[in-house]
Amino acid sequence: MNYSATIGLEVHVQLATRTKMFCACNTDFGSPPNTHVCPVCLGYPGALPVINEEAVRLTVMTGLMLGSEINPFSKFDRKNYFYPDMPKNYQISQYDRPLCIGGAVAIEANGVAKTIPLTRIHLEEDVAKNMHVRNASSIDFNRAGHPLMEVVTEPELDSSEEAFAFLQALKQILLYGGISPCNLEEGNLRCDVNCSVRPAGQPALGVKTEIKNLNTFKGVFQSLQYEIKRQIAVLESGGTIVQETRRWETETGITESMRSKEAAHDYRYFPDPDLMPVVLSSEQIECWKALLPELPRQRCDRLVRQYSIPPYDARVLSADKAMADYFEEACRYYASSQATRSAHAVAPSAAAGDEKLAKTGPKAISNWLMTEMLRLLSEKGIDIDQAAIRPKALAELVRLAEAQVVNSNTAKDVFAALFEQGGDPELWVKQKGLVQVSDAGAIEAMVEKAMADHPGSVADFRAGKSAALQFLVGQVMRASKGKAHPQRVQELLKKKLTTTAN
Ligand code: ZN
Ligand code: MN
């Protein structure tokens, strides 16, 4: 039997504020435990919370970017539960009046475009971090009270691929908006997923399970794949799904039951009497709306207009804000070196280059990013910010290739070297003696030597075996240690092989 899966996500996002949600404590990550604490975020009796306005603004900006309706009257509620990570025994959250209602995120998964509607976006406070060392547990309150935005989707995701694509798309929008650093290693994004399966065509949803606190996108993807398979297997064997919360075990790659619905908490939400409601005027909302940043789709359109690169390139580049920033910075360096060059009238020699290098400026930069850069980044498993080759160096490398100072193969080697250790391409090329040999006399000498050393290939070519030409080009390139200008070598060889034939 065929089954359909239904998935909903709750994404917790730590906001990029300098201070905590209800106190003035610092939000820096990585400080010694319990150094950013005060009576408010430690939950001392009698301490009074004060709303962080910046956190409200960032949440509303997110809602505006995602097309949510902004609640003009919003309030904070107490979500009551007993757990050591929350010593006041309630978390300040939002219940029936969240800051944002609705909205949507556009995704593309398995080549299909889809829009995932949101239920709501609300604001709450993060909880402390429990650490279990041998037979003791310790609590670090540095994280307690960090502004936490929760983005809740409607259950309209159909696969683990869609869930993964949703998280990537959301992350990019949050990065574009400066809403959160979205650093997964530092726990900036954490996700709860719920999931059910049902026989294909059955309108009623199946019983769902929830998997809590996933802190990697890969974890979301893998746990959903496992959970969907598990639920189908239970139904196939005639069993029933129990509504419960499950835990994802990264090491074993399975989900395990944590607690069933019967043991679920009743949070007894009620309005926090210590906090005023948040009332937003339409003027205030309009004012924030006017300050909305450029989003991935808008940037994609602009890249096509401004740099005349193909829409495909623009889509790949703008999908990652850091990549698009890198591209534009490299283009700026390229353009400014262009200006310097024409001012000094040192035009690069206009010799025929190979096809790829004939792409100049922004398109050449885009090619480097989409091929070599993406390949090396995924090989090393790092982000573009961590690549040692900086935009200025890439712009210069493109210049060197255009000016035929290096040939395309050498340029690739230079790129790979600078990717690892950074530095200035021109200096690197000079120090390593990689400057392309374009000098006609030098090339002619090498060509003549290759022809003299391989009379058999010369005869083959003249007898009509055109493949012999490539062999001879290869010999010259080898003799030049890869530095000869390949097109010139080929042209000259061809000329000599055909004109002196008799
Ligand atoms: Zn505090
Ligand atoms: Mn929450």
Side-chain angles (χ1 to χ4, degrees):
M1 192 190 283
N2 271 332
Y3 289 86
S4 311
T6 301
I7 298 162
L9 301 176
E10 291 171 15
V11 190
H12 284 101
V13 182
Q14 282 186 334
L15 297 175
T17 55
R18 292 174 50 95
T19 57
K20 291 187 182 179
M21 188 60 229
F22 299 110
C23 62
C25 289
N26 191 310
T27 53
D28 279 354
F29 180 84
S31 306
N34 298 311
T35 49
H36 300 309
V37 291
C38 74
V40 173
C41 55
L42 287 173
Y44 282 15
L48 286 174
V50 177
I51 296 171
N52 183 333
E53 276 186 39
E54 178 65 1
V56 172
R57 186 186 72 87
L58 290 172
T59 305
V60 171
M61 290 290 270
T62 305
L64 291 171
M65 289 192 292
L66 300 179
S68 311
E69 191 188 311
I70 309 303
N71 222 335
F73 179 90
S74 173
K75 68 179 173 64
F76 286 97
D77 302 275
R78 293 184 178 180
K79 178 182 181 179
N80 298 278
Y81 70 92
F82 295 93
Y83 202 65
D85 63 7
M86 197 74 266
K88 46 184 201 295
N89 291 333
Y90 59 84
Q91 178 192 28
I92 305 178
S93 182
Q94 297 194 287
Y95 185 54
D96 55 339
R97 294 293 235 167
L99 277 166
C100 316
I101 300 161
V105 174
I107 65 163
E108 197 183 306
N110 302 325
V112 181
K114 195 173 163 182
T115 303
I116 306 302
L118 302 178
T119 313
R120 57 191 268 154
I121 306 172
H122 68 249
L123 188 53
E124 57 189 34
E125 57 179 338
D126 208 344
V127 296
K129 197 171 181 177
N130 290 343
M131 286 172 300
H132 309 287
V133 190
R134 271 179 250 113
N135 55 355
S137 289
S138 359
I139 311 178
D140 178 5
F141 283 88
N142 285 351
R143 194 179 76 178
H146 195 130
L148 201 62
M149 175 177 77
E150 186 171 331
V151 179
V152 183
T153 76
E154 289 288 301
E156 292 203 16
L157 296 143
D158 297 337
S159 64
S160 38
E161 285 83 5
E162 286 188 8
F164 191 83
F166 176 90
L167 291 171
Q168 281 187 315
L170 178 66
K171 178 182 167 185
Q172 281 313 317
I173 292 166
L174 297 173
L175 285 173
Y176 267 82
I179 306 297
S180 166
C182 294
N183 196 329
L184 274 76
E185 287 79 46
E186 297 186 1
N188 292 159
L189 289 183
R190 279 131 48 205
C191 197
D192 299 341
V193 308
N194 57 67
C195 154
S196 67
V197 302
R198 63 184 193 281
Q202 174 190 307
L205 293 180
V207 176
K208 69 178 176 185
T209 62
E210 188 176 26
I211 310 165
K212 285 245 183 226
N213 239 327
L214 296 157
N215 52 13
T216 62
F217 292 1
K218 198 171 145 201
V220 171
F221 181 80
Q222 291 178 336
S223 63
L224 278 170
Q225 282 210 316
Y226 175 86
E227 186 58 16
I228 291 167
K229 267 200 207 126
R230 184 191 71 84
Q231 291 188 12
I232 291 173
V234 169
L235 294 180
E236 291 272 270
S237 65
T240 48
I241 306 294
V242 185
Q243 184 168 349
E244 62 184 352
T245 300
R246 299 177 71 85
R247 175 194 305 120
W248 170 243
E249 305 284 350
T250 317
E251 289 77 28
T252 49
I254 61 165
T255 63
E256 260 182 0
S257 181
M258 264 171 87
R259 55 170 185 258
S260 71
K261 176 75 177 160
E262 289 74 57
H265 299 284
D266 170 9
Y267 292 120
R268 297 177 295 119
Y269 281 98
F270 65 87
D272 192 310
D274 291 338
L275 289 162
M276 298 286 283
V278 179
V279 180
L280 296 169
S281 66
S282 51
E283 289 79 24
Q284 177 65 80
I285 294 169
E286 284 309 312
C287 171
W288 284 338
K289 213 178 214 167
L291 296 173
L292 276 185
E294 184 181 50
L295 292 178
R297 288 199 169 190
Q298 297 161 327
R299 189 168 201 181
C300 175
D301 295 344
R302 181 172 62 76
L303 293 184
V304 173
R305 279 198 315 273
Q306 190 172 337
Y307 300 97
S308 306
I309 55 172
Y312 176 80
D313 293 40
R315 262 200 21 230
V316 174
L317 297 172
S318 61
D320 178 356
K321 179 171 188 290
M323 179 72 72
D325 289 346
Y326 191 108
F327 169 75
E328 291 206 77
E329 200 181 333
C331 286
R332 275 194 293 278
Y333 278 117
Y334 178 88
S336 69
S337 72
Q338 171 101 305
T340 321
R341 260 158 214 276
S342 44
H344 296 280
V346 197
S349 63
D354 73 70
E355 267 310 299
K356 257 186 249 152
L357 290 182
K359 305 268 186 295
T360 58
K363 178 54 183 157
I365 292 169
S366 163
N367 281 353
W368 279 107
L369 292 176
M370 293 199 306
T371 55
E372 294 303 287
M373 181 66 95
L374 285 178
R375 186 175 66 78
L376 290 170
L377 288 177
S378 81
E379 224 175 86
K380 305 272 180 239
I382 58 172
D383 291 329
I384 194 161
D385 301 323
Q386 297 162 276
I389 184 165
R390 298 318 304 154
K392 186 173 185 216
L394 177 57
E396 277 171 17
L397 182 59
V398 167
R399 280 275 172 223
L400 293 177
E402 274 171 18
Q404 319 246 344
V405 174
V406 291
N407 64 38
S408 56
N409 284 329
T410 308
K412 263 187 204 162
D413 295 342
V414 174
F415 185 94
L418 298 188
F419 181 90
E420 289 289 338
Q421 55 202 75
D424 175 47
E426 197 159 3
L427 213 64
W428 180 268
V429 163
K430 274 189 191 138
Q431 278 169 356
K432 300 276 164 183
L434 298 173
V435 176
Q436 174 164 265
V437 178
S438 301
D439 171 59
I443 291 182
E444 184 163 13
M446 288 190 283
V447 163
E448 276 167 1
K449 181 159 188 310
M451 285 172 69
D453 289 351
H454 303 281
S457 300
V458 173
D460 281 352
F461 181 82
R462 288 174 178 163
K465 289 187 190 162
S466 49
L469 177 66
Q470 280 322 306
F471 172 79
L472 289 167
V473 171
Q475 293 308 309
V476 176
M477 290 308 292
R478 212 164 82 183
S480 76
K481 298 194 177 70
K483 291 185 291 181
H485 190 301
Q487 274 67 42
R488 295 202 190 161
V489 170
Q490 179 149 354
E491 282 159 23
L492 193 65
L493 259 172
K494 234 183 194 165
K495 202 168 122 197
K496 285 203 178 280
L497 287 167
T498 44
T499 53
T500 48
N502 48 38

PDB file of all heavy atoms in Angstrom, residues 118-138:
ATOM      1  N   LEU A 118       2.436  29.274   7.140  1.00  0.00           N
ATOM      2  CA  LEU A 118       2.792  29.302   8.556  1.00  0.00           C
ATOM      3  C   LEU A 118       1.533  29.476   9.394  1.00  0.00           C
ATOM      4  O   LEU A 118       0.572  30.113   8.956  1.00  0.00           O
ATOM      5  CB  LEU A 118       3.733  30.473   8.841  1.00  0.00           C
ATOM      6  CG  LEU A 118       5.051  30.507   8.060  1.00  0.00           C
ATOM      7  CD1 LEU A 118       5.837  31.760   8.432  1.00  0.00           C
ATOM      8  CD2 LEU A 118       5.871  29.258   8.347  1.00  0.00           C
ATOM      9  N   THR A 119       1.538  28.919  10.577  1.00  0.00           N
ATOM     10  CA  THR A 119       0.440  29.128  11.517  1.00  0.00           C
ATOM     11  C   THR A 119       0.651  30.455  12.231  1.00  0.00           C
ATOM     12  O   THR A 119      -0.243  31.294  12.306  1.00  0.00           O
ATOM     13  CB  THR A 119       0.402  27.999  12.566  1.00  0.00           C
ATOM     14  OG1 THR A 119       0.513  26.753  11.898  1.00  0.00           O
ATOM     15  CG2 THR A 119      -0.868  28.059  13.394  1.00  0.00           C
ATOM     16  N   ARG A 120       1.866  30.619  12.750  1.00  0.00           N
ATOM     17  CA  ARG A 120       2.146  31.789  13.568  1.00  0.00           C
ATOM     18  C   ARG A 120       3.641  31.951  13.807  1.00  0.00           C
ATOM     19  O   ARG A 120       4.419  31.021  13.578  1.00  0.00           O
ATOM     20  CB  ARG A 120       1.458  31.628  14.931  1.00  0.00           C
ATOM     21  CG  ARG A 120       1.921  30.333  15.634  1.00  0.00           C
ATOM     22  CD  ARG A 120       1.075  30.023  16.837  1.00  0.00           C
ATOM     23  NE  ARG A 120       1.645  30.612  18.046  1.00  0.00           N
ATOM     24  CZ  ARG A 120       0.934  30.944  19.108  1.00  0.00           C
ATOM     25  NH1 ARG A 120      -0.370  30.781  19.109  1.00  0.00           N
ATOM     26  NH2 ARG A 120       1.518  31.460  20.172  1.00  0.00           N
ATOM     27  N   ILE A 121       4.013  33.129  14.281  1.00  0.00           N
ATOM     28  CA  ILE A 121       5.376  33.343  14.780  1.00  0.00           C
ATOM     29  C   ILE A 121       5.229  34.042  16.117  1.00  0.00           C
ATOM     30  O   ILE A 121       4.575  35.083  16.203  1.00  0.00           O
ATOM     31  CB  ILE A 121       6.201  34.243  13.835  1.00  0.00           C
ATOM     32  CG1 ILE A 121       6.197  33.694  12.402  1.00  0.00           C
ATOM     33  CG2 ILE A 121       7.636  34.384  14.348  1.00  0.00           C
ATOM     34  CD1 ILE A 121       6.831  34.629  11.396  1.00  0.00           C
ATOM     35  N   HIS A 122       5.760  33.442  17.170  1.00  0.00           N
ATOM     36  CA  HIS A 122       5.665  34.119  18.459  1.00  0.00           C
ATOM     37  C   HIS A 122       7.030  34.272  19.110  1.00  0.00           C
ATOM     38  O   HIS A 122       8.031  33.736  18.638  1.00  0.00           O
ATOM     39  CB  HIS A 122       4.654  33.416  19.377  1.00  0.00           C
ATOM     40  CG  HIS A 122       5.072  32.056  19.834  1.00  0.00           C
ATOM     41  ND1 HIS A 122       4.467  30.901  19.415  1.00  0.00           N
ATOM     42  CD2 HIS A 122       6.042  31.674  20.695  1.00  0.00           C
ATOM     43  CE1 HIS A 122       5.044  29.864  19.999  1.00  0.00           C
ATOM     44  NE2 HIS A 122       6.006  30.304  20.780  1.00  0.00           N
ATOM     45  N   LEU A 123       7.035  35.030  20.177  1.00  0.00           N
ATOM     46  CA  LEU A 123       8.283  35.368  20.859  1.00  0.00           C
ATOM     47  C   LEU A 123       8.242  34.787  22.261  1.00  0.00           C
ATOM     48  O   LEU A 123       7.217  34.850  22.943  1.00  0.00           O
ATOM     49  CB  LEU A 123       8.401  36.896  20.889  1.00  0.00           C
ATOM     50  CG  LEU A 123       9.698  37.526  21.386  1.00  0.00           C
ATOM     51  CD1 LEU A 123      10.909  36.975  20.666  1.00  0.00           C
ATOM     52  CD2 LEU A 123       9.617  39.055  21.191  1.00  0.00           C
ATOM     53  N   GLU A 124       9.355  34.218  22.698  1.00  0.00           N
ATOM     54  CA  GLU A 124       9.433  33.668  24.049  1.00  0.00           C
ATOM     55  C   GLU A 124      10.865  33.772  24.547  1.00  0.00           C
ATOM     56  O   GLU A 124      11.696  34.439  23.923  1.00  0.00           O
ATOM     57  CB  GLU A 124       8.929  32.218  24.065  1.00  0.00           C
ATOM     58  CG  GLU A 124       9.662  31.290  23.114  1.00  0.00           C
ATOM     59  CD  GLU A 124       9.002  29.912  22.990  1.00  0.00           C
ATOM     60  OE1 GLU A 124       7.770  29.807  23.066  1.00  0.00           O
ATOM     61  OE2 GLU A 124       9.755  28.935  22.801  1.00  0.00           O
ATOM     62  N   GLU A 125      11.148  33.143  25.657  1.00  0.00           N
ATOM     63  CA  GLU A 125      12.506  33.187  26.196  1.00  0.00           C
ATOM     64  C   GLU A 125      13.109  31.787  26.133  1.00  0.00           C
ATOM     65  O   GLU A 125      12.422  30.799  26.330  1.00  0.00           O
ATOM     66  CB  GLU A 125      12.500  33.708  27.642  1.00  0.00           C
ATOM     67  CG  GLU A 125      11.613  32.882  28.568  1.00  0.00           C
ATOM     68  CD  GLU A 125      11.620  33.377  30.009  1.00  0.00           C
ATOM     69  OE1 GLU A 125      12.575  34.061  30.400  1.00  0.00           O
ATOM     70  OE2 GLU A 125      10.667  33.052  30.739  1.00  0.00           O
ATOM     71  N   ASP A 126      14.410  31.737  25.875  1.00  0.00           N
ATOM     72  CA  ASP A 126      15.095  30.447  25.863  1.00  0.00           C
ATOM     73  C   ASP A 126      15.267  29.975  27.304  1.00  0.00           C
ATOM     74  O   ASP A 126      15.151  30.763  28.251  1.00  0.00           O
ATOM     75  CB  ASP A 126      16.460  30.578  25.165  1.00  0.00           C
ATOM     76  CG  ASP A 126      16.906  29.257  24.526  1.00  0.00           C
ATOM     77  OD1 ASP A 126      16.329  28.211  24.871  1.00  0.00           O
ATOM     78  OD2 ASP A 126      17.826  29.289  23.690  1.00  0.00           O
ATOM     79  N   VAL A 127      15.525  28.683  27.453  1.00  0.00           N
ATOM     80  CA  VAL A 127      15.697  28.114  28.786  1.00  0.00           C
ATOM     81  C   VAL A 127      17.180  27.815  29.027  1.00  0.00           C
ATOM     82  O   VAL A 127      17.988  27.892  28.108  1.00  0.00           O
ATOM     83  CB  VAL A 127      14.860  26.830  28.940  1.00  0.00           C
ATOM     84  CG1 VAL A 127      13.386  27.163  28.819  1.00  0.00           C
ATOM     85  CG2 VAL A 127      15.264  25.789  27.905  1.00  0.00           C
ATOM     86  N   ALA A 128      17.514  27.457  30.248  1.00  0.00           N
ATOM     87  CA  ALA A 128      18.908  27.159  30.576  1.00  0.00           C
ATOM     88  C   ALA A 128      19.324  25.844  29.924  1.00  0.00           C
ATOM     89  O   ALA A 128      18.499  25.117  29.384  1.00  0.00           O
ATOM     90  CB  ALA A 128      19.092  27.079  32.090  1.00  0.00           C
ATOM     91  N   LYS A 129      20.614  25.585  29.996  1.00  0.00           N
ATOM     92  CA  LYS A 129      21.126  24.374  29.359  1.00  0.00           C
ATOM     93  C   LYS A 129      21.562  23.380  30.434  1.00  0.00           C
ATOM     94  O   LYS A 129      22.375  23.713  31.292  1.00  0.00           O
ATOM     95  CB  LYS A 129      22.320  24.767  28.491  1.00  0.00           C
ATOM     96  CG  LYS A 129      22.692  23.728  27.480  1.00  0.00           C
ATOM     97  CD  LYS A 129      23.735  24.296  26.537  1.00  0.00           C
ATOM     98  CE  LYS A 129      24.101  23.251  25.508  1.00  0.00           C
ATOM     99  NZ  LYS A 129      25.046  23.773  24.538  1.00  0.00           N
ATOM    100  N   ASN A 130      20.984  22.178  30.365  1.00  0.00           N
ATOM    101  CA  ASN A 130      21.388  21.128  31.308  1.00  0.00           C
ATOM    102  C   ASN A 130      22.576  20.379  30.742  1.00  0.00           C
ATOM    103  O   ASN A 130      22.589  20.048  29.561  1.00  0.00           O
ATOM    104  CB  ASN A 130      20.253  20.116  31.505  1.00  0.00           C
ATOM    105  CG  ASN A 130      19.101  20.732  32.278  1.00  0.00           C
ATOM    106  OD1 ASN A 130      19.257  21.758  32.920  1.00  0.00           O
ATOM    107  ND2 ASN A 130      17.947  20.095  32.193  1.00  0.00           N
ATOM    108  N   MET A 131      23.553  20.130  31.593  1.00  0.00           N
ATOM    109  CA  MET A 131      24.691  19.345  31.142  1.00  0.00           C
ATOM    110  C   MET A 131      24.873  18.174  32.079  1.00  0.00           C
ATOM    111  O   MET A 131      24.875  18.338  33.296  1.00  0.00           O
ATOM    112  CB  MET A 131      25.943  20.214  31.106  1.00  0.00           C
ATOM    113  CG  MET A 131      25.899  21.185  29.923  1.00  0.00           C
ATOM    114  SD  MET A 131      27.231  22.376  29.977  1.00  0.00           S
ATOM    115  CE  MET A 131      26.923  23.174  31.521  1.00  0.00           C
ATOM    116  N   HIS A 132      24.976  17.003  31.489  1.00  0.00           N
ATOM    117  CA  HIS A 132      25.082  15.799  32.302  1.00  0.00           C
ATOM    118  C   HIS A 132      26.491  15.252  32.213  1.00  0.00           C
ATOM    119  O   HIS A 132      26.950  14.870  31.165  1.00  0.00           O
ATOM    120  CB  HIS A 132      24.059  14.758  31.834  1.00  0.00           C
ATOM    121  CG  HIS A 132      22.684  15.342  31.731  1.00  0.00           C
ATOM    122  ND1 HIS A 132      21.929  15.642  32.835  1.00  0.00           N
ATOM    123  CD2 HIS A 132      21.960  15.737  30.663  1.00  0.00           C
ATOM    124  CE1 HIS A 132      20.781  16.173  32.451  1.00  0.00           C
ATOM    125  NE2 HIS A 132      20.777  16.250  31.138  1.00  0.00           N
ATOM    126  N   VAL A 133      27.188  15.309  33.334  1.00  0.00           N
ATOM    127  CA  VAL A 133      28.561  14.822  33.386  1.00  0.00           C
ATOM    128  C   VAL A 133      28.609  13.670  34.376  1.00  0.00           C
ATOM    129  O   VAL A 133      28.307  13.844  35.555  1.00  0.00           O
ATOM    130  CB  VAL A 133      29.528  15.936  33.845  1.00  0.00           C
ATOM    131  CG1 VAL A 133      30.979  15.497  33.648  1.00  0.00           C
ATOM    132  CG2 VAL A 133      29.254  17.235  33.096  1.00  0.00           C
ATOM    133  N   ARG A 134      28.996  12.511  33.891  1.00  0.00           N
ATOM    134  CA  ARG A 134      28.989  11.277  34.681  1.00  0.00           C
ATOM    135  C   ARG A 134      27.698  11.156  35.490  1.00  0.00           C
ATOM    136  O   ARG A 134      26.620  11.142  34.911  1.00  0.00           O
ATOM    137  CB  ARG A 134      30.240  11.213  35.573  1.00  0.00           C
ATOM    138  CG  ARG A 134      31.382  10.534  34.809  1.00  0.00           C
ATOM    139  CD  ARG A 134      32.659  10.460  35.641  1.00  0.00           C
ATOM    140  NE  ARG A 134      33.662  11.355  35.106  1.00  0.00           N
ATOM    141  CZ  ARG A 134      34.126  12.441  35.724  1.00  0.00           C
ATOM    142  NH1 ARG A 134      33.693  12.753  36.912  1.00  0.00           N
ATOM    143  NH2 ARG A 134      35.031  13.193  35.160  1.00  0.00           N
ATOM    144  N   ASN A 135      27.767  11.171  36.808  1.00  0.00           N
ATOM    145  CA  ASN A 135      26.516  10.978  37.555  1.00  0.00           C
ATOM    146  C   ASN A 135      25.968  12.277  38.128  1.00  0.00           C
ATOM    147  O   ASN A 135      25.186  12.282  39.063  1.00  0.00           O
ATOM    148  CB  ASN A 135      26.697   9.923  38.666  1.00  0.00           C
ATOM    149  CG  ASN A 135      27.857  10.293  39.569  1.00  0.00           C
ATOM    150  OD1 ASN A 135      28.562  11.274  39.298  1.00  0.00           O
ATOM    151  ND2 ASN A 135      28.062   9.531  40.630  1.00  0.00           N
ATOM    152  N   ALA A 136      26.421  13.404  37.568  1.00  0.00           N
ATOM    153  CA  ALA A 136      25.915  14.685  38.054  1.00  0.00           C
ATOM    154  C   ALA A 136      25.321  15.484  36.894  1.00  0.00           C
ATOM    155  O   ALA A 136      25.651  15.248  35.742  1.00  0.00           O
ATOM    156  CB  ALA A 136      27.051  15.483  38.696  1.00  0.00           C
ATOM    157  N   SER A 137      24.429  16.405  37.210  1.00  0.00           N
ATOM    158  CA  SER A 137      23.890  17.309  36.203  1.00  0.00           C
ATOM    159  C   SER A 137      24.189  18.730  36.632  1.00  0.00           C
ATOM    160  O   SER A 137      24.029  19.072  37.802  1.00  0.00           O
ATOM    161  CB  SER A 137      22.374  17.125  36.070  1.00  0.00           C
ATOM    162  OG  SER A 137      22.104  15.884  35.458  1.00  0.00           O
ATOM    163  N   SER A 138      24.632  19.551  35.696  1.00  0.00           N
ATOM    164  CA  SER A 138      24.851  20.963  36.016  1.00  0.00           C
ATOM    165  C   SER A 138      24.009  21.796  35.074  1.00  0.00           C
ATOM    166  O   SER A 138      23.613  21.344  33.995  1.00  0.00           O
ATOM    167  CB  SER A 138      26.323  21.354  35.879  1.00  0.00           C
ATOM    168  OG  SER A 138      27.100  20.256  35.493  1.00  0.00           O
TER     169      SER A 138
END
